[in-house]
Amino acid sequence: MPARTPLDDERDHLAASRAALRAMRSDVEALDISDVTANWVNAEVLASEIAARIRSLADLAGTPLFFGRLDYEESLDEDGESGHRFYIGRRHVHDASGDPMVIDWRAPVSQPFYRASKRDPLGVALRRRFGYEGGDLTAYEDEHLTDPAEAATGSALLQREIERPRVGPMRDIVATIQPEQDEIVRAGLGGTVCVQGAPGTGKTAVGLHRVAYLLYTHRERLARSGTLVIGPNRSFLRYIEQVLPALGEMEVKQATVDELVARVEVRGADGAEAARIKGDARMAEVLRRAVRSGVRMPSEPVMVVRGSRRWRVPAHELEEIVRELASRDLRYGSAREALPQRVAHAVLVRMEQAGEAPDDRVQNAVARTPAVKAVVKECWPQVDPAKLVLRLLSDADFLAEQAEGILTPDEQKAILWERPPRSVKSARWSPADAVLVDEAHDLVERTGSLGHVVLDEAQDLSPMQYRAVGRRCSTGSATILGDIAQGTTPWATESWAAALAHLGKGRAGEAVIEELTQGFRVPRDVIAYASRLLPAIAPELNEATSIRESAGSLAIGRVARDDLDEAVVLACRTALENEGSIGLIAADARVPALAAALAAGGLSHLAPGDETSREARLTLVPASLAKGLEYDHVVLDEPAAVVSGEPDERTGLRRLYVALTRAVSGLAVVHAAPLPGPLAD
């Protein structure tokens, strides 16, 4: 019988841990709650919580239960064995006695796995990393952090995990989190963190792992207030949606900004200039004026009849009440609700002066009288947010009145509808219009706030979109993720300080800005090639560096215009000879022609958001949807077309920068037109 090896022992611990996890799940499934709840509502809530707990205890196939081990120096016995040993994994697992077999990566005791080093071992004598194939433990690698004779070297298993081919949705990075990423992940809930991250630095993964960490650390608080992940589009959200469940978090909601503000049906689109103006922060003041434009001073006194008595409040006193409410920082709807009570109170004062003793019921009755209701209708009419924005964008005189001194006449003309719609339902609202309606709605009635919001690809938002997101975390905190160099809208933010101000998180000490420049995804040669664009698109940013040992493959080929489609198909066929996912990225206008060329060449392809598999690995990606996605090998079609497909050159070059940095292992650029200037050098 062959001698046992340390790997055998680790496999035994894995098997025992999986058995313990199954037992934990079985214990929850066996719970009988029939006699422990007071009513059916409590029973439904408890049953829902138990179901969520059962889902979180699933042993996901192919997902390692633990990926690391820590042995602490002070607990090594004379045989070199450690009684103070922790296995670090995606979730907590304990045995029948309650002793931990796997420690959740978010627990404080797990932190040294990510931050301990030769220079500062944090008491760790040995850090062990495990290698897996599917769900099978196949290798391990040790670092003796307190042994001066052992040289500090890079982790081969870590590199292998980073470079592992990508098929299917985005996966977690819990086994490969680096110290600078870990600091962001474990930042406290109280403040907002803004992460400027170059391509491949893992900013999206850091944001998602931060959500998982905050839910672990502040579960009760965030369970009450809620968490939300906001992404640029549905394709992106489908790509990332499995990360949190893999970490045991099942209840985090996801949405796009457009879905967040969907108070009207969007069926239209704006030109670049109109969208830029509608997204400008100045529109908030225009809307504030418009919402308050209907407030009028009373023209007559109010006479309230109670039984045989008449109570008169003069016009000048009513005017004082209206002016006082208008001067306060109240939502329009809240002030409207307060107005009848204020008028009724003035009536009650007169009743008391006459010797009566009215109570709150009398005040409420007075507030509901026709005379008081008439005052409210005259002075503080109801406002329908959608109808208000409809009028603002349809009525040139009304817009001019509200935008005086804020928007120029040319700007006003740019946002006016050429053909005013007849109603809210018939209007062809644009995405920017929907944000205006959401702003108007908040001016009338306060938007509810969540406990924590993660906003990814934040660089592309307009100031008004930032305000819409900020309303959703006005009493909570946020994690803002993005890259100024990847801003691909004409209104893309110029600085994170400005973005945080629009979010309502710009006060001193309220937010911190962190920068990630070490790339883990994009190979050295590829990121170096893409970085040629930085002086033209974001000269203030530091160039990203790759920690990848592999330089990656980079091929740039020019072909005759008539041969372009055929050459792209050939490049895709060549890329498919490698492992992993393949992304063919092209200007949006080129997608139909390339789809036809792929079909003619016998190559089936997926659309962005479709899940790749071993049988379907090629995705045809419009450049406008490439942001946030990643593929092992990328074929980029006609860079010049990507640039010319945007409203201006800077935006086009930023779109190209995004497309160039989607590759994990190799990039092939195929072009017929000359390359854009910065790449032609």
Side-chain angles (χ1 to χ4, degrees), residues 443-472:
L443 289 166
V444 175
E445 180 182 335
R446 183 182 296 276
T447 304
S449 175
L450 297 163
H452 193 77
V453 168
V454 175
L455 174 62
D456 205 353
E457 301 297 349
Q459 72 281 343
D460 274 338
L461 269 61
S462 70
M464 292 299 286
Q465 287 175 315
Y466 281 123
R467 289 176 61 87
V469 173
R471 287 191 282 278
R472 271 75 184 180

Side-chain angles (χ1 to χ4, degrees), residues 524-548:
R524 287 200 309 271
D525 288 356
V526 174
I527 194 64
Y529 182 68
S531 293
R532 295 184 188 182
L533 298 173
L534 283 178
I537 61 175
E540 71 281 6
L541 294 183
N542 295 317
E543 182 176 333
T545 58
S546 178
I547 68 166
R548 297 273 298 276

Side-chain angles (χ1 to χ4, degrees), residues 123-314:
V124 176
L126 179 142
R127 173 168 53 201
R128 176 169 288 179
R129 299 181 189 274
F130 297 104
Y132 288 83
E133 293 294 337
D136 298 328
L137 199 162
T138 57
Y140 69 89
E141 182 181 76
D142 288 344
E143 296 174 85
H144 296 88
L145 299 180
T146 56
D147 183 358
E150 182 180 279
T153 59
S155 168
L157 288 180
L158 185 64
Q159 283 289 331
R160 191 174 77 181
E161 175 63 20
I162 290 172
E163 298 177 11
R164 181 159 55 94
R166 284 151 168 76
V167 174
M170 181 181 179
R171 58 177 180 256
D172 66 66
I173 62 164
V174 66
T176 63
I177 293 173
Q178 299 297 294
E180 64 272 21
Q181 295 174 321
D182 191 62
E183 289 184 14
I184 296 171
V185 167
R186 296 178 192 267
L189 179 62
T192 288
V193 178
C194 178
V195 182
Q196 159 62 40
T201 54
K203 56 185 176 293
T204 295
V206 165
L208 294 175
H209 287 67
R210 176 161 162 72
V211 171
Y213 172 77
L214 292 175
L215 285 168
Y216 176 88
T217 310
H218 307 279
R219 187 163 307 277
E220 289 189 10
R221 177 176 171 183
L222 291 178
R224 292 192 303 270
S225 56
T227 54
L228 176 68
V229 175
I230 303 173
N233 52 61
R234 267 289 141 193
S235 296
F236 177 83
L237 292 177
R238 284 194 295 271
Y239 178 63
I240 69 170
E241 66 184 357
Q242 293 304 315
V243 173
L244 289 169
L247 298 173
E249 300 299 341
M250 317 296 291
E251 305 301 324
V252 178
K253 293 182 173 60
Q254 297 182 343
T256 65
V257 173
D258 289 345
E259 291 167 345
L260 212 60
V261 300
R263 301 183 185 276
V264 292
E265 183 182 359
V266 173
R267 297 185 294 130
D270 288 311
E273 181 62 9
R276 184 191 65 77
I277 297 167
K278 290 178 181 179
D280 194 296
R282 293 175 296 164
M283 288 300 299
E285 177 59 22
V286 174
L287 287 166
R288 192 195 67 80
R289 289 184 183 179
V291 166
R292 299 271 175 155
S293 64
V295 175
R296 298 285 183 268
M297 293 302 119
S299 56
E300 297 178 351
V302 64
M303 188 73 70
V304 176
V305 179
R306 290 281 297 173
S308 61
R309 302 292 299 271
R310 292 172 179 263
W311 306 98
R312 180 179 181 275
V313 180

Side-chain angles (χ1 to χ4, degrees), residues 45-196:
V45 172
L46 184 56
S48 175
E49 291 178 352
I50 289 174
R53 175 62 174 163
I54 291 171
R55 290 195 302 273
S56 72
L57 290 172
D59 190 357
L60 302 177
T63 301
L65 197 54
F66 57 78
F67 47 80
R69 195 183 95 185
L70 293 176
D71 291 1
Y72 279 85
E73 184 177 20
E74 69 274 12
S75 58
L76 290 175
D77 61 24
E78 59 185 15
D79 297 321
E81 294 296 326
S82 173
H84 197 175
R85 173 178 295 167
F86 300 104
Y87 286 83
I88 312 301
R90 285 166 172 76
R91 69 200 64 200
H92 173 85
V93 179
H94 59 255
D95 62 18
S97 301
D99 294 326
M101 300 188 72
V102 180
I103 301 294
D104 194 300
W105 67 276
R106 297 167 288 186
V109 75
S110 299
Q111 185 170 321
F113 181 78
Y114 301 107
R115 299 198 188 180
S117 64
K118 282 277 189 179
R119 186 177 59 186
D120 185 9
L122 301 176
V124 176
L126 179 142
R127 173 168 53 201
R128 176 169 288 179
R129 299 181 189 274
F130 297 104
Y132 288 83
E133 293 294 337
D136 298 328
L137 199 162
T138 57
Y140 69 89
E141 182 181 76
D142 288 344
E143 296 174 85
H144 296 88
L145 299 180
T146 56
D147 183 358
E150 182 180 279
T153 59
S155 168
L157 288 180
L158 185 64
Q159 283 289 331
R160 191 174 77 181
E161 175 63 20
I162 290 172
E163 298 177 11
R164 181 159 55 94
R166 284 151 168 76
V167 174
M170 181 181 179
R171 58 177 180 256
D172 66 66
I173 62 164
V174 66
T176 63
I177 293 173
Q178 299 297 294
E180 64 272 21
Q181 295 174 321
D182 191 62
E183 289 184 14
I184 296 171
V185 167
R186 296 178 192 267
L189 179 62
T192 288
V193 178
C194 178
V195 182
Q196 159 62 40

Side-chain angles (χ1 to χ4, degrees), residues 235-464:
S235 296
F236 177 83
L237 292 177
R238 284 194 295 271
Y239 178 63
I240 69 170
E241 66 184 357
Q242 293 304 315
V243 173
L244 289 169
L247 298 173
E249 300 299 341
M250 317 296 291
E251 305 301 324
V252 178
K253 293 182 173 60
Q254 297 182 343
T256 65
V257 173
D258 289 345
E259 291 167 345
L260 212 60
V261 300
R263 301 183 185 276
V264 292
E265 183 182 359
V266 173
R267 297 185 294 130
D270 288 311
E273 181 62 9
R276 184 191 65 77
I277 297 167
K278 290 178 181 179
D280 194 296
R282 293 175 296 164
M283 288 300 299
E285 177 59 22
V286 174
L287 287 166
R288 192 195 67 80
R289 289 184 183 179
V291 166
R292 299 271 175 155
S293 64
V295 175
R296 298 285 183 268
M297 293 302 119
S299 56
E300 297 178 351
V302 64
M303 188 73 70
V304 176
V305 179
R306 290 281 297 173
S308 61
R309 302 292 299 271
R310 292 172 179 263
W311 306 98
R312 180 179 181 275
V313 180
H316 71 84
E317 188 171 340
L318 294 176
E319 182 175 338
E320 288 178 6
I321 293 172
V322 173
R323 289 191 182 281
E324 193 272 334
L325 285 173
S327 68
R328 295 182 60 188
D329 186 21
L330 291 174
R331 294 298 192 276
Y332 185 89
S334 298
R336 190 175 191 276
E337 290 176 359
L339 179 56
Q341 292 292 332
R342 296 292 182 87
V343 175
H345 178 73
V347 172
L348 260 67
V349 169
R350 284 159 172 76
M351 290 180 176
E352 291 170 348
Q353 290 172 345
E356 297 189 15
D359 56 18
D360 289 345
R361 289 175 298 177
V362 175
Q363 179 168 326
N364 290 333
V366 171
R368 293 193 298 268
T369 59
V372 174
K373 287 183 177 179
V375 171
V376 175
K377 185 176 181 180
E378 176 194 2
C379 299
W380 212 283
Q382 279 190 318
V383 169
D384 182 296
K387 289 181 179 178
L388 180 83
V389 176
L390 180 77
R391 182 186 176 195
L392 196 66
L393 300 179
S394 303
D395 186 335
D397 292 338
F398 183 61
L399 176 61
E401 181 182 351
Q402 309 312 319
E404 183 180 1
I406 300 175
L407 301 180
T408 67
D410 285 344
E411 288 175 323
Q412 295 173 32
K413 184 178 179 180
I415 65 174
L416 276 170
W417 283 330
E418 292 182 6
R419 296 181 180 178
R422 294 181 179 179
S423 67
V424 169
K425 287 189 176 181
S426 66
R428 296 186 62 82
W429 298 101
S430 71
D433 296 335
V435 177
L436 298 181
V437 174
D438 189 71
E439 178 85 23
H441 190 280
D442 184 71
L443 289 166
V444 175
E445 180 182 335
R446 183 182 296 276
T447 304
S449 175
L450 297 163
H452 193 77
V453 168
V454 175
L455 174 62
D456 205 353
E457 301 297 349
Q459 72 281 343
D460 274 338
L461 269 61
S462 70
M464 292 299 286

